[in-house]
Amino acid sequence: MLRTTGILLGFLQLIVLFPSIFGSAAEEALQEYLFKSSGYNKDVRPAPLPNDTVVMNFGLSVTQILDVDEKNQIITTGVWMDQYWTDYRLEWNASNFSDVDSVIVPFSWVWYPDLVLDNSAEGDYLLPTWKYVTVYNDGQIWVTPPGTLKSPCRIDVRYFPFDEQYCFMSFGPWEFTAFSVIMNPINDRVLKENYVENVEWDLYNSSVELIADLDECCPDEAYSTINFTLILRRRPLYYILNILIPCAAMSFLTLGVFYLPPDCGEKMTLSISVLIALSVFSLLVADIMPPTSDSSPLIGTYLLFNMAVNAMSILISVVILHFHFRSPKMYRMHPGVKKLFIETLPVYIGLSSKRMTATYIRPKRNSNTIEPNDNEKLEVISLENHKPKSETQSYDDSKDKTIPKSGNGALTVPKTVLGSTIFGYGRDDKIETDELNLFEKTVVSYLELSSRKLQRNEDEEEALEEWKLLAAVIDRICLIVFLLISLIGSLIVLLSAPGLV
């Protein structure tokens, strides 16, 4: 019983292995027929007639964008190169070889044109080959070798980081002219089979173009090439978060320079700090970009724009601080400037509140005053003729501490201040000139000097406040103007990028 079972199992194994043994024998016989018995020569072009052209079908599949070296302007790509051509010497009848319609043979057994990457960035221009090829019974030979190709790619940084790059790869035979071997694209675009996305670049589009290059020295000779164009679009999120947004934030910090009051002492500190930060960002962008003079990157233009605005803000801040701390002893404000910047413009720029008016503009004395009583009547003492003159003026000791002066060297002195004992107030007759002694003249002289000094100090303080108001008005005008410049300039620069419109 056990012997019978072993015999059956051996018979079943023989049945299973017999087709493989037979198939291997058929392939061996086929290879013997194709490459040895027929006298196949792999160095001879597979053309039935000398003037016939061999068509080399070529297709490209990109598996990954490995690297884009922007400084050296070289792109490294992982590709699969689909290739097939027809060799009439490798045809057979499948029925004569156990219906074997294809066979895998070593690559070195068959004829292959010297295909090269014309614009290779490496020393070896020949395309990478594979160990085996597949030969079909109709004479077609298929091979899809993978490879890593390096090719030049001119980097245009005009719209960085919203730029698109056009990278070309040109394939064709090096020795065979278009009359011997002609290239034929398999697809009208680059395939993305098993494509792995790149973190910085997106393979946005592609195109294929068949070109017949004429040799300038020999017009009768032409070389057939296929140009594959890869259209790469940069992913800008990294640069938006790390460069553009901080740069825009610092540009709006420049506006804060005109909102800070000059007395705080931090105007110039803020302006210079923003300028230094923009300079650092400019150095970072310059380190990323290739050293080219063809075009300026968009983000570099935006940084230069913000630096120019910041530099202007520094210059204007210097002028504003000069106006704010200008001394009325050395400068007098022109009436036209005073009328325009102090009386007219504040109404239109939000500085016409009662607080600003009360702070910077002194109210004029109201002529409709209440009639004073006897204690508030003033006696006008003229220092020229030393004769008193009666004059009635409105005086409120609690509101005005200055000593008013009538004119022509006369001093208006309140009775309540001097009292009636010194000058003889309370008498019915007028004070005579010869009754004024030396002490009385000295007191009047000091009072007149104090009155003039107080009046001069008050005029200087009023002029100083007018200069401060002028600086505040210029600050507010610059805040509005620079806000518009920053918004409009940012929109013009950033919306010029093709990826944002």
Side-chain angles (χ1 to χ4, degrees):
M1 183 68 181
L2 293 175
R3 182 179 296 178
T4 305
T5 305
I7 295 173
L8 291 176
L9 290 175
F11 181 74
L12 290 175
Q13 291 177 358
L14 182 63
I15 293 175
V16 172
L17 295 175
F18 182 77
S20 300
I21 297 173
F22 184 79
S24 298
E27 289 185 3
E28 185 177 355
L30 178 59
Q31 292 179 8
E32 180 75 19
Y33 168 76
L34 293 176
F35 296 101
K36 296 180 181 180
S37 301
S38 63
Y40 181 83
N41 188 353
K42 66 176 183 179
D43 296 326
V44 177
R45 186 172 59 93
L49 298 175
N51 294 330
D52 289 347
T53 302
V54 178
V55 178
M56 186 68 186
N57 300 279
F58 192 92
L60 192 68
S61 299
V62 175
T63 58
Q64 189 178 5
I65 305 296
L66 298 175
D67 181 48
V68 179
D69 190 349
E70 298 181 26
K71 285 190 173 296
N72 298 318
Q73 303 195 30
I74 295 176
I75 180 174
T76 305
T77 53
V79 297
W80 290 355
M81 293 165 286
D82 299 323
Q83 306 168 55
Y84 74 90
W85 65 98
T86 301
D87 192 336
Y88 74 97
R89 299 169 296 177
L90 299 179
E91 296 178 356
W92 73 90
N93 190 350
S95 60
N96 296 335
F97 298 92
S98 303
D99 294 330
V100 176
D101 58 357
S102 64
V103 63
I104 298 176
V105 299
F107 191 92
S108 58
W109 287 12
V110 298
W111 174 89
Y112 181 74
D114 54 342
L115 294 183
V116 297
L117 176 61
D118 292 338
N119 60 337
S120 175
E122 294 181 301
D124 189 8
Y125 285 79
L126 289 174
L127 296 183
T129 57
W130 199 236
K131 188 175 182 180
Y132 296 99
V133 295
T134 302
V135 183
Y136 292 91
N137 62 339
D138 59 354
Q140 280 194 2
I141 303 174
W142 275 84
V143 62
T144 307
T148 301
L149 303 179
K150 288 187 177 182
S151 58
C153 182
R154 184 179 179 274
I155 304 298
D156 184 6
V157 296
R158 182 180 307 171
Y159 299 113
F160 174 85
F162 307 100
D163 52 334
E164 293 181 356
Q165 306 300 334
Y166 292 78
C167 301
F168 302 92
M169 288 187 287
S170 180
F171 299 89
W174 186 256
E175 293 294 341
F176 294 99
T177 65
F179 304 103
S180 300
V181 177
I182 187 170
M183 301 293 292
N184 181 52
I186 298 176
N187 303 295
D188 59 351
R189 59 185 177 84
V190 176
L191 301 181
K192 297 173 64 176
E193 296 180 358
N194 302 318
Y195 180 72
V196 179
E197 295 287 344
N198 187 277
V199 295
E200 185 178 1
W201 296 94
D202 178 31
L203 183 53
Y204 175 68
N205 203 349
S206 62
S207 63
V208 180
E209 183 181 8
L210 178 62
I211 298 177
D213 293 329
L214 296 177
D215 198 335
E216 296 180 357
C217 67
C218 306
D220 295 336
E221 296 182 2
Y223 291 88
S224 178
T225 58
I226 298 178
N227 284 350
F228 293 90
T229 303
L230 304 180
I231 303 176
L232 306 179
R233 178 175 290 179
R234 193 189 302 269
R235 301 177 187 270
L237 181 61
Y238 172 81
Y239 300 97
I240 291 175
L241 294 178
N242 293 279
I243 296 181
L244 280 181
I245 292 180
C247 179
M250 285 186 292
S251 69
F252 283 98
L253 280 179
T254 305
L255 303 177
V257 175
F258 300 110
Y259 197 76
L260 284 175
D263 290 329
C264 72
E266 298 295 333
K267 270 182 171 289
M268 302 304 298
T269 303
L270 178 60
S271 299
I272 296 175
S273 299
V274 173
L275 183 61
I276 293 174
L278 291 174
S279 301
V280 172
F281 275 103
S282 179
L283 293 176
L284 292 176
V285 173
D287 186 62
I288 298 173
M289 293 295 95
T292 176
S293 299
D294 296 338
S295 59
S296 176
L298 181 66
I299 191 171
T301 304
Y302 185 58
L303 285 171
L304 288 176
F305 167 75
N306 287 328
M307 291 176 67
V309 172
N310 185 263
M312 292 174 57
S313 70
I314 293 176
L315 294 177
I316 296 176
S317 296
V318 171
V319 176
I320 291 174
L321 291 175
H322 174 71
F323 283 151
H324 183 82
F325 295 103
R326 176 172 281 189
S327 173
K329 295 180 180 179
M330 299 178 61
Y331 302 96
R332 293 187 60 185
M333 186 179 297
H334 192 275
V337 175
K338 181 177 180 180
K339 181 175 180 60
L340 177 63
F341 286 91
I342 297 180
E343 299 179 5
T344 305
L345 287 180
V347 180
Y348 301 100
I349 58 176
L351 294 178
S352 58
S353 62
K354 294 181 179 180
R355 181 178 59 85
M356 297 298 295
T357 303
T359 303
Y360 293 104
I361 303 177
R362 294 182 60 195
K364 297 181 179 180
R365 187 181 298 274
N366 189 0
S367 59
N368 299 325
T369 57
I370 303 174
E371 184 67 21
N373 52 33
D374 292 338
N375 293 329
E376 293 175 333
K377 290 184 178 181
L378 308 180
E379 193 74 18
V380 178
I381 301 174
S382 176
L383 299 181
E384 295 178 356
N385 50 18
H386 304 288
K387 292 182 180 181
K389 297 180 181 179
S390 298
E391 182 177 334
T392 302
Q393 292 185 359
S394 175
Y395 180 80
D396 187 353
D397 183 57
S398 63
K399 296 181 180 180
D400 196 353
K401 302 299 182 183
T402 60
I403 307 298
K405 179 170 60 98
S406 61
N408 296 326
L411 179 65
T412 304
V413 183
K415 293 180 180 180
T416 57
V417 174
L418 296 180
S420 59
T421 58
I422 298 177
F423 295 100
Y425 290 112
R427 299 178 184 177
D428 294 335
D429 54 347
K430 296 181 180 180
I431 301 176
E432 299 295 335
T433 303
D434 53 1
E435 296 179 2
L436 292 176
N437 54 27
L438 180 61
F439 175 74
E440 293 172 340
K441 292 181 180 180
T442 304
V443 171
V444 173
S445 298
Y446 275 110
L447 287 175
E448 183 179 18
L449 180 62
S450 299
S451 175
R452 290 176 181 176
K453 185 176 181 180
L454 289 174
Q455 184 66 32
R456 184 171 59 254
N457 291 338
E458 187 175 340
D459 293 340
E460 290 179 358
E461 182 180 356
E462 182 178 356
L464 182 63
E465 297 299 330
E466 288 178 351
W467 283 116
K468 291 183 178 181
L469 178 59
L470 175 62
V473 171
I474 297 176
D475 246 343
R476 184 59 59 87
I477 292 175
C478 291
L479 175 64
I480 298 172
V481 171
F482 275 71
L483 176 62
L484 295 177
I485 291 176
S486 298
L487 289 176
I488 296 174
S490 300
L491 291 176
I492 290 176
V493 172
L494 297 180
L495 293 181
S496 61
L500 294 179
V501 180

